[in-house]
Amino acid sequence: MAMRKSKFRNLFKRNIFSNNHAIDKQYTKGNALSTPLPSLACNHPDLIIAFSLEGDIVSQTSKRLIELLGSRPQTKNDFLHLFPESTSERLDTLFSNTLGGKTENIEIEVNKYNGEQVQLLLTFIPIHIKNNSVERIYLIINDLTKHAQLEQSLELMKKHLDHSQQIAAVGSWEYIINDDKFDCSNNFFNTIGMDESENISIEKLFTLVHPEDYSLTRQIFDESTNKGNSFSAEFRILHGKTNELRYITAQAECIKKGDIPYKFVGVIRDDTPYKRLENELKNRLTNLQHIYDNLKAGIWMRENIEGKMVFASKGLADILQYPLEQIYKEPDYWEKMVIPEYHTMLIESIHLLKKGQITQNTFPIECPDGKTKWLQEQTFPWLDDNGEIAYLFGMVLDVSDELEMHDKLNFLAYHDALTRMPNQHGLYDKLDTLCQKEHPFALMYLDLDRFSLINDSLGYHIGDELLKEVASGLIAIVHQEGYISRISGTDFVIVIENYPDKASIFHLAEQLMKHIQKPVTIEEFDIQITTSIGISFFPEHGESKLTLIENAHSALHRAKRQGKNNYKVYSDMKDISSYKKYILDKDMRKALINEEFEIYYQPKVNTEGIIVGAEALLRWNHHEWGLVSPVEFIPIAEENHFINDLGDWVIKEVCARLREWKEKDFTLRPISINISPIRLMKKGLVEYVKQQLELYQIPGNYLEFEITEESLLRYDNTVFNTLEDLKSVGATIAIDDFGTGYSSLQSLREIQADTLKIDKVFIQHITNENKVDAAIVSSTMHLAKGLGLKVVAEGVEEYEQLEFLKQNECDIIQGYLFSKPVALEIFEQMLQAGYLLPSKKKLSKIPEIERREFYRFEFPYSLLGNMTITEVNHRKVSLGATQILIENISLGGIKIVSLLKLPINSDMKFMFAFTLMNELFELEGTLIWKDEAKEDMFFYGVKFNLTVQDEDRLAPLINQMSALQRANKQIPDTDFVYEDSFSYLNKHLI
């Protein structure tokens, strides 16, 4: 045995330590272990250093040491100085431990001389020689730098893999089938809810699978295990830590050894967020589908323009009346239901959709049951990244009812709901069109007279039925020749085109009035109503719709003021009448300041002629138009609200006159004052009357206030209250014009009037053979006596009328038979006398005196002409013409008939235009006399201011017309009027 050890040592010495070419000779002294480092150490991949027990380096591979550390230490301390202080202390401790016979090692990081950092493994090994004592210490330095770097890279890759799996919500795993052993990534454990330290078996994993998914999932795994197939499965698990439901997708590939399945290598993916989102979307889609299926709208989605139908709501099937499953099978079928005329529109919409534009169309379809529906469809394209249509979304609405309602609303917007006639909007459109065409047409404005009384007495439902009857009558008469519209409650407008002449329009107006006046029976009520009509012509009376309507309406008002149930034609608002109205309106306020107004008094007498009072009647001495009647200026004062100032002025003047007469010791008589309903409505009248009575110290019983019967019907209780307050100060109340309106006995009872005035229209005919008016007057007086009222008969002009009134015990007489209205001085003389005598002569109104020196020619019919004012007070004026009728003509002048009240011998110059035998004359002249023909119509004598040329033209024509008349021949080419002058002027002038 000793021999073997010796041989092994020698062998070791000979073979292992024989290579001493890199060993310093100084280390070769001593025993065998003191020989140079063996060749094995020199060829070892690691660096080996031999230390003596004292710490000296007795052997080293100096070249490699220099390469590694950059120096060549001689002692342990030199070696330790190569490392940081903390590391040196640790190394010194390890060296000491090795001296005790213990092998030590340590990993350290060292910076090489070139700054490169290296990872070293230092192992201190004790060498035992004798008696197991430590002879020397070997230090093996292993360069672990590349290995550490590799480990770091592997660790980094592992971290990256874990991080990636965590981000991707996947976990990798291996399963050794026979060992029932899993090797899994960190995220695998996180996903299923287990700790990494746990030993996982397949059974343990399956305990996490949701009970509802367990059987199928286990079946898939077992079949794959038995057959060695790869598998993919989706299932739910209950998280091992939170018990939260998670959705898992697992995939694995089976690895075999030979034909036997060895292991599975696979991944799992946590699809919980996506499944939750998917479920949420499914729920939303379910909810949306529920909503869509309960909407009247049809919702659909399809792949591109010609793709399959992806979704269609029940509403679409209901709208199309086509089964839902068929819509999915034939998505284009319902487009074939579109009426052919609308196919082009749909094709154009497809082009717009391809451009990514939203489209909206309304079109009709023919349903399977043959009915036509109107649909409104909105389509939205969804384009992909290439700009191609990926999906189309659409919404379809059945707008049949809406369109029908729209048509109804549109109809009602332009038509009257009651009569189905066009309304104001429809009329405006019609007139705009006609005015643009510039073809002549006539506009007739109709208003039913006193229609409000029917509504008030019989009810609005009766009134509505009457309006329908009137509308039907208008349609029956006008036929297709005109356009009829109802623009307000009782206002109708008729537009006539292509009429032959104005006479045909006037004839139509008469027909309409005659037809409307016919009695109609509505719910056993026999009703009779009349209408008034105003007429204007395009373009003569206006070139716009509003002007024509306003002018026709103005003519209508003129017709109503003339007693209703007639028609008027508009004449230029700048004619003489309008000019006079304008001047009076302008000068009215100055007239009160300039004391141009004065009061005339018309006496009231008893049947014996004793003066018992008087009526105060206002007159205006205008500086240009002479004495102006209240008939002319009172309506203007009511329009501009100056009537209140005028009324107060009359009250003050009457009170002042009464005080003056009292001071003159005249016998005082009550004075009647006409009071406007507008003034009765305004606050302060009673206080003003009290103030004037107190100021002039006059008892209130000397004032009587007259109010028209119609005013009592038009105004509210304010009027009645004011009248009661006036009575409380002692004044009396008289009802004027009784019988001319819809007499209200209720009004008589409520206001407790003192006097009833019978209008002159009844008095004028009480002596005729027709006893109707006599019976009315007798009954009225009997009624008044029964109510305790005094009776005043107005307009008494004949002695026979006075006799009749005496016999019927009339209280008071007022009229021209005793006196016309007179100025203050004359009335004071009458007061002093105390009585008046009646005139037994019948009044004559038509002058018979010949005033011209030239021969005058009497026309067989009235000649139509025009008159205008050219100069006022040496000031030129430019006015429109007013129609007149000419009765006769001479070289000296003409006799005309007019409704205008004009001043005589004033500083006004006139121009008269007329046509004789196709020759037009325009001659200057002045008015030299005036006579009243009948109510509101006057004869005027005109003196010509002819030139020689005018005389030369006119004289031959007068001779020719005289010759034709003697020969009983018609006068040609002359504008004659073949109806009564008064009737014609009332119809055609405003």
Side-chain angles (χ1 to χ4, degrees):
M1 179 63 84
M3 187 180 295
R4 290 181 191 173
K5 290 183 180 180
S6 176
K7 287 182 179 179
F8 179 76
R9 186 180 293 118
N10 293 333
L11 179 63
F12 182 81
K13 287 170 61 180
R14 183 173 58 251
N15 296 324
I16 299 179
F17 298 102
S18 61
N19 188 6
N20 59 357
H21 61 277
I23 305 300
D24 293 335
K25 301 296 184 180
Q26 61 177 333
Y27 298 114
T28 58
K29 301 183 289 182
N31 55 30
L33 288 176
S34 298
T35 60
L37 214 59
S39 62
L40 177 61
C42 293
N43 294 318
H44 195 279
D46 299 324
L47 177 62
I48 298 175
I49 302 175
F51 290 93
S52 66
L53 295 180
E54 291 77 17
D56 294 327
I57 296 176
V58 296
S59 179
Q60 60 177 326
T61 52
S62 58
K63 182 178 180 182
R64 294 177 60 192
L65 185 62
I66 293 173
E67 289 175 358
L68 180 62
L69 300 177
S71 66
R72 182 178 176 182
Q74 300 298 321
T75 66
K76 178 189 72 173
N77 291 333
D78 293 339
F79 179 79
L80 294 177
H81 289 157
L82 297 175
F83 303 98
E85 183 177 353
S86 59
T87 303
S88 298
E89 292 177 356
R90 176 63 177 157
L91 291 175
D92 189 43
T93 301
L94 293 179
F95 187 85
S96 298
N97 293 341
T98 305
L99 289 177
K102 184 179 179 181
T103 301
E104 296 281 0
N105 59 62
I106 185 174
E107 288 187 17
I108 60 173
E109 289 183 356
V110 180
N111 290 325
K112 296 173 62 175
Y113 64 92
N114 59 3
E116 180 184 354
Q117 191 176 60
V118 293
Q119 187 84 15
L120 302 178
L121 175 61
L122 277 60
T123 303
F124 292 90
I125 302 173
I127 303 300
H128 301 275
I129 300 299
K130 294 179 180 179
N131 300 322
N132 204 26
S133 61
V134 176
E135 178 68 20
R136 289 189 182 178
I137 295 176
Y138 280 2
L139 172 61
I140 301 174
I141 302 175
N142 185 5
D143 188 353
L144 301 178
T145 302
K146 292 182 179 181
H147 179 73
Q149 291 175 347
L150 181 59
E151 283 187 344
Q152 290 177 358
S153 297
L154 291 174
E155 182 65 25
L156 183 61
M157 291 176 64
K158 184 175 182 300
K159 288 182 179 179
H160 286 171
L161 179 61
D162 288 341
H163 189 58
S164 299
Q165 289 186 2
Q166 187 177 1
I167 293 175
V170 298
S172 58
W173 56 276
E174 282 188 3
Y175 175 64
I176 309 300
I177 298 173
N178 291 334
D179 295 342
D180 191 19
K181 181 181 178 182
F182 277 92
D183 184 13
C184 308
S185 66
N186 292 338
N187 206 53
F188 181 92
F189 290 101
N190 294 334
T191 301
I192 66 175
M194 287 188 174
D195 292 329
E196 297 178 15
S197 59
E198 293 187 53
N199 292 323
I200 303 176
S201 65
I202 194 64
E203 294 299 332
K204 193 169 186 178
L205 277 180
F206 269 104
T207 60
L208 302 179
V209 177
H210 193 280
E212 295 179 3
D213 298 340
Y214 180 86
S215 297
L216 179 59
T217 307
R218 188 60 187 254
Q219 180 182 349
I220 294 173
F221 180 78
D222 291 344
E223 288 180 357
S224 299
T225 302
N226 295 332
K227 297 179 180 180
N229 296 331
S230 299
F231 71 86
S232 176
E234 293 183 2
F235 52 91
R236 292 168 293 172
I237 67 168
L238 297 174
H239 194 267
K241 294 181 179 180
T242 64
N243 206 38
E244 176 188 7
L245 183 67
R246 293 201 174 185
Y247 293 83
I248 303 297
T249 298
Q251 287 184 325
E253 182 179 355
C254 185
I255 307 298
K256 299 179 181 179
K257 284 188 176 182
D259 295 331
I260 300 174
Y262 167 61
K263 67 177 178 179
F264 286 104
V265 178
V267 294
I268 61 169
R269 183 177 66 242
D270 186 357
D271 291 334
T272 302
Y274 308 105
K275 285 293 182 179
R276 285 176 179 170
L277 180 59
E278 181 181 346
N279 291 337
E280 184 179 352
L281 290 175
K282 284 181 179 179
N283 290 334
R284 289 187 180 181
L285 288 175
T286 300
N287 293 336
L288 286 175
Q289 184 161 357
H290 178 73
I291 293 172
Y292 292 157
D293 286 342
N294 286 277
L295 288 176
K296 290 185 177 180
I299 310 297
W300 59 268
M301 180 175 72
R302 66 184 299 180
E303 295 178 352
N304 59 62
I305 291 178
E306 298 178 353
K308 68 178 182 179
M309 187 69 71
V310 178
F311 172 79
S313 69
K314 183 176 178 295
L316 183 63
D318 293 340
I319 291 173
L320 301 179
Q321 298 179 8
Y322 199 64
L324 196 58
E325 58 272 14
Q326 292 299 118
I327 294 176
Y328 280 104
K329 291 179 181 179
E330 302 178 79
D332 295 325
Y333 177 81
W334 65 280
E335 295 181 2
K336 299 176 183 177
M337 300 166 64
V338 177
I339 302 300
E341 290 84 348
Y342 289 82
H343 285 173
T344 302
M345 179 184 68
L346 296 182
I347 293 173
E348 292 174 354
S349 295
I350 291 175
H351 293 312
L352 295 176
L353 289 171
K354 289 180 177 179
K355 296 178 181 179
Q357 298 182 24
I358 299 173
T359 63
Q360 177 172 315
N361 295 308
T362 303
F363 51 84
I365 64 169
E366 185 176 352
C367 297
D369 62 0
K371 293 183 179 179
T372 298
K373 286 186 178 181
W374 280 88
L375 306 185
Q376 185 180 79
E377 182 184 36
Q378 281 185 303
T379 307
F380 310 85
W382 185 355
L383 304 183
D384 59 19
D385 295 338
N386 298 322
E388 300 294 330
I389 294 178
Y391 292 97
L392 287 179
F393 299 89
M395 181 174 66
V396 180
L397 293 171
D398 182 356
V399 294
S400 303
D401 293 340
E402 285 78 2
L403 286 180
E404 183 180 355
M405 180 60 68
H406 177 269
D407 291 341
K408 288 181 180 179
L409 292 175
N410 188 61
F411 180 85
L412 292 176
Y414 290 89
H415 291 80
D416 171 48
L418 181 65
T419 63
R420 316 299 288 176
M421 286 180 169
N423 60 12
Q424 187 180 71
H425 293 295
L427 174 65
Y428 281 5
D429 286 351
K430 177 68 174 179
L431 292 178
D432 283 337
T433 302
L434 292 179
C435 290
Q436 290 174 0
K437 291 182 178 179
E438 298 184 351
H439 293 162
F441 62 87
L443 188 146
M444 307 174 73
Y445 200 124
L446 289 73
D447 182 37
L448 302 179
D449 300 325
R450 305 182 188 274
F451 190 87
S452 60
L453 293 177
I454 295 175
N455 283 336
D456 295 340
S457 58
L458 301 181
Y460 283 90
H461 66 290
I462 299 294
D464 288 346
E465 293 301 319
L466 181 57
L467 286 172
K468 292 180 183 179
E469 289 289 337
V470 171
S472 299
L474 295 179
I475 295 173
I477 294 175
V478 177
H479 301 295
Q480 301 297 323
E481 300 172 2
Y483 179 91
I484 310 174
S485 64
R486 180 189 176 213
I487 61 173
S488 64
T490 60
D491 291 1
F492 296 84
V493 172
I494 301 175
V495 179
I496 305 294
E497 303 177 68
N498 304 319
Y499 57 91
D501 51 38
K502 291 184 178 180
S504 64
I505 299 298
F506 305 150
H507 177 68
L508 176 60
E510 292 172 352
Q511 280 186 296
L512 293 171
M513 292 189 300
K514 184 177 180 181
H515 180 84
I516 292 174
Q517 197 173 7
K518 292 180 180 179
V520 295
T521 301
I522 299 175
E523 294 187 10
E524 300 181 356
F525 292 104
D526 292 330
I527 304 174
Q528 186 174 14
I529 196 166
T530 60
T531 187
S532 300
I533 305 174
I535 303 173
S536 62
F537 292 94
F538 175 88
E540 179 181 347
H541 297 144
E543 297 182 356
S544 69
K545 62 176 181 289
L546 294 180
T547 303
L548 290 166
I549 293 174
E550 289 171 1
N551 291 343
H553 193 258
S554 297
L556 169 68
H557 274 289
R558 175 64 177 171
K560 285 186 174 291
R561 288 198 298 269
Q562 293 297 322
K564 304 179 177 62
N565 195 30
N566 58 45
Y567 70 88
K568 296 291 181 194
V569 179
Y570 176 78
S571 62
D572 194 341
M573 291 300 292
K574 293 183 180 179
D575 62 6
I576 296 175
S577 177
S578 300
Y579 175 72
K580 183 178 182 181
K581 181 178 179 181
Y582 165 74
I583 293 297
L584 295 180
D585 186 18
K586 179 174 69 71
D587 294 345
M588 188 172 291
R589 296 185 184 276
K590 292 188 297 183
L592 190 61
I593 299 174
N594 297 336
E595 299 182 348
E596 294 181 9
F597 289 103
E598 65 175 302
I599 297 176
Y600 275 45
Y601 297 88
Q602 186 173 30
K604 297 178 183 179
V605 299
N606 61 19
T607 54
E608 301 302 323
I610 304 299
I611 297 175
V612 295
E615 180 177 358
L617 299 168
L618 194 61
R619 295 292 186 269
W620 183 1
N621 289 304
H622 194 272
H623 59 284
E624 290 180 350
W625 294 91
L627 194 63
V628 182
S629 167
V631 175
E632 293 182 275
F633 68 80
I634 290 298
I636 299 174
E638 289 179 339
E639 290 177 8
N640 62 23
H641 299 286
F642 191 61
I643 189 66
N644 296 328
D645 295 335
L646 279 180
D648 290 352
W649 181 83
V650 172
I651 293 171
K652 180 179 181 180
E653 285 294 309
V654 168
C655 289
R657 295 288 79 75
L658 287 169
R659 173 61 183 267
E660 184 179 328
W661 295 335
K662 182 179 180 181
E663 291 175 349
K664 290 180 179 180
D665 205 22
F666 290 173
T667 300
L668 296 185
R669 302 296 183 186
I671 304 299
S672 299
I673 299 173
N674 291 281
I675 192 75
S676 169
I678 298 176
R679 186 65 183 97
L680 290 172
M681 295 287 290
K682 185 179 180 182
K683 294 181 179 179
L685 174 62
V686 177
E687 290 75 11
Y688 183 79
V689 172
K690 286 182 180 178
Q691 181 185 27
Q692 298 306 312
L693 291 174
E694 293 173 358
L695 176 65
Y696 294 104
Q697 299 180 359
I698 299 297
N701 62 300
Y702 286 107
L703 292 182
E704 182 178 60
F705 292 99
E706 295 187 6
I707 182 170
T708 62
E709 173 196 7
E710 187 174 1
S711 298
L712 297 176
L713 301 176
R714 290 173 54 195
Y715 293 91
D716 58 20
N717 291 331
T718 304
V719 172
F720 293 102
N721 296 335
T722 303
L723 293 176
E724 289 180 3
D725 292 340
L726 288 174
K727 288 174 66 68
S728 68
V729 301
T732 57
I733 304 299
I735 298 179
D736 197 10
D737 300 335
F738 187 80
T740 58
Y742 285 80
S743 302
S744 174
L745 300 180
Q746 176 71 13
S747 300
L748 291 178
R749 185 180 67 83
E750 288 184 356
I751 67 171
Q752 299 180 359
D754 303 285
T755 305
L756 196 67
K757 300 186 73 174
I758 302 176
D759 192 79
K760 61 184 178 181
V761 296
F762 298 105
I763 303 299
Q764 289 173 350
H765 304 292
I766 57 176
T767 58
N768 293 348
E769 293 182 0
N770 185 349
K771 302 301 182 182
V772 175
D773 285 343
I776 292 174
V777 172
S778 299
S779 299
T780 302
M781 288 192 291
H782 179 73
L783 172 65
K785 294 292 185 181
L787 295 174
L789 303 178
K790 291 182 180 180
V791 178
V792 177
E794 289 186 295
V796 179
E797 298 180 354
E798 299 176 5
Y799 192 81
E800 291 78 4
Q801 297 168 354
L802 175 63
E803 291 299 319
F804 175 87
L805 295 171
K806 277 185 179 181
Q807 294 174 7
N808 287 274
E809 299 180 351
C810 182
D811 298 304
I812 300 173
I813 308 297
Q814 180 180 351
Y816 277 37
L817 181 64
F818 285 94
S819 175
K820 63 181 180 180
V822 296
L824 175 63
E825 295 79 6
I826 299 176
F827 180 66
E828 288 183 343
Q829 296 173 9
M830 293 178 176
L831 279 180
Q832 286 180 307
Y835 69 93
L836 296 172
L837 296 176
S839 173
K840 293 188 177 181
K841 294 183 179 180
K842 188 172 182 178
L843 297 176
S844 175
K845 296 182 180 179
I846 302 178
E848 300 294 341
I849 302 174
E850 176 59 59
R851 296 179 173 88
R852 279 173 281 179
E853 54 181 310
F854 297 98
Y855 165 75
R856 65 179 179 182
F857 174 73
E858 294 286 344
F859 290 111
Y861 305 98
S862 296
L863 175 67
L864 181 63
N866 291 318
M867 171 180 67
T868 186
I869 299 175
T870 59
E871 187 175 306
V872 178
N873 288 333
H874 309 291
R875 184 180 74 253
K876 298 291 184 181
V877 294
S878 178
L879 302 178
T882 299
Q883 287 187 341
I884 57 172
L885 296 179
I886 304 173
E887 299 290 307
N888 58 46
I889 189 170
S890 71
L891 291 179
I894 54 177
K895 176 185 175 182
I896 67 171
V897 182
S898 175
L899 298 181
L900 299 176
K901 192 172 183 181
L902 302 169
I904 304 301
N905 296 318
S906 67
D907 290 329
M908 286 187 184
K909 292 184 179 180
F910 297 83
M911 178 70 72
F912 300 90
F914 50 88
T915 300
L916 295 176
M917 299 181 69
N918 205 31
E919 190 166 346
L920 175 64
F921 287 87
E922 292 182 344
L923 306 177
E924 291 185 355
T926 56
L927 304 181
I928 57 174
W929 61 265
K930 175 178 72 174
D931 274 307
E932 187 174 353
K934 56 175 65 177
E935 182 183 9
D936 297 328
M937 188 171 80
F938 304 92
F939 290 118
Y940 292 96
V942 178
K943 180 180 180 180
F944 283 151
N945 181 20
L946 297 181
T947 64
V948 176
Q949 291 82 358
D950 292 332
E951 289 184 1
D952 292 342
R953 291 175 59 219
L954 183 59
L957 289 179
I958 294 177
N959 293 331
Q960 290 181 42
M961 290 189 295
S962 299
L964 290 172
Q965 192 176 58
R966 287 193 297 271
N968 292 322
K969 294 182 179 180
Q970 290 185 352
I971 300 174
D973 302 322
T974 304
D975 296 330
F976 290 122
V977 173
Y978 300 102
E979 62 178 292
D980 177 73
S981 299
F982 183 76
S983 300
Y984 179 86
L985 291 175
N986 267 288
K987 292 176 183 176
H988 294 79
L989 293 183
I990 185 169

